[in-house]
Amino acid sequence: MSSRVRRLRKHSLGLDITAFMNMIVVLVPFLLTTTVFSRLAVLELSLPAQSSGFDKLKGDLQLEVVIRGDALEIRDRIGGLIQRVQNTSKGYDFRTLSASMQQLKTRFPDKVEAAILAEPDTSYDILVQTMDAVRVARTSGSGHAELFPEISIGDAPVAGGAPAKPGKRS
C-alpha cells in the first residue's frame, strides 16, 4: 500500500504595507508643517558676590533697584536711596526708571553692574520688565543704548515701616 501523503505547501504571505507607507508619506509632512517652533531667549545673570568691608573703600556706585509693592527704589548699596519711582495708576513706571538709569549712566559711564532685588511676591513679568529697563534704553528711532548689562538678582531687604501695598488698607 503505497499511499502518497499529500502535504499542502503553505506559502508565507508577505505583509502588504502599502497602505501604511501611504499614510506615513502624508502624515510626516503634515506634522512638520503644523509644528510650532519656539524661540528661547536667555539672559545671562550672575549672583551678587559676598560683600566685604573693602567695598566701602571704593567710593563708586553700587547700583541696586529694589522692586517694592508700591514703587521701584533706585539705591546705592553704600549711599542709600537715590530715587523712589512711585507706581502710576497703570502699575510700575518703567519709563521713569529707564530715564533715571540713563541719567546714572551719564554720571557713571564705566559702570556696567546692577543688582535687582525683588520682594517674594513679585511676578516674573515685572522682574523681566525691570531687568529690561536697567539693561538697555530705547533711543530715538529703533535703536538701543546699553546701560547696565551685567545684572544680578536677589531678595529685597525687608522695608522698615514701608507703606502698605496698594489695595490693602488697615
Side-chain angles (χ1 to χ4, degrees), residues 16-33:
D16 186 14
I17 59 170
T18 308
F20 178 74
M21 291 298 291
N22 287 338
M23 182 184 70
I24 293 297
V25 166
V26 171
L27 189 61
V28 168
F30 172 75
L31 291 175
L32 287 175
T33 56

Side-chain angles (χ1 to χ4, degrees), residues 52-167:
S52 65
F54 296 107
D55 290 340
K56 295 181 180 181
L57 298 176
K58 292 180 183 176
D60 63 345
L61 177 70
Q62 293 183 4
L63 183 62
E64 293 179 340
V65 177
V66 181
I67 304 173
R68 300 278 182 208
D70 60 341
L72 298 167
E73 295 177 354
I74 303 169
R75 306 176 62 91
D76 181 8
R77 188 175 302 156
I78 298 169
L81 184 66
I82 297 172
Q83 182 180 0
R84 184 172 171 87
V85 180
Q86 290 291 344
N87 289 359
T88 64
S89 60
K90 297 178 182 178
Y92 290 100
D93 189 359
F94 295 111
R95 288 181 190 241
T96 304
L97 175 65
S98 181
S100 299
M101 291 294 112
Q102 291 175 34
Q103 290 173 357
L104 283 171
K105 188 63 177 181
T106 57
R107 289 178 50 199
F108 300 96
D110 295 334
K111 188 71 177 167
V112 293
E113 301 93 13
I116 296 180
L117 307 175
E119 290 183 332
D121 59 345
T122 303
S123 72
Y124 180 74
D125 185 48
I126 298 298
L127 182 63
V128 170
Q129 289 182 50
T130 306
M131 290 169 63
D132 288 343
V134 172
R135 283 180 41 243
V136 292
R138 292 191 173 95
T139 58
S140 59
S142 63
H144 291 72
E146 189 174 80
L147 298 174
F148 302 97
E150 294 183 16
I151 294 181
S152 302
I153 57 174
D155 291 332
V158 177
K165 292 185 181 182

Side-chain angles (χ1 to χ4, degrees), residues 4 37 43 66 70 115 141:
R4 279 188 160 179
F37 296 100
L43 294 174
V66 181
D70 60 341

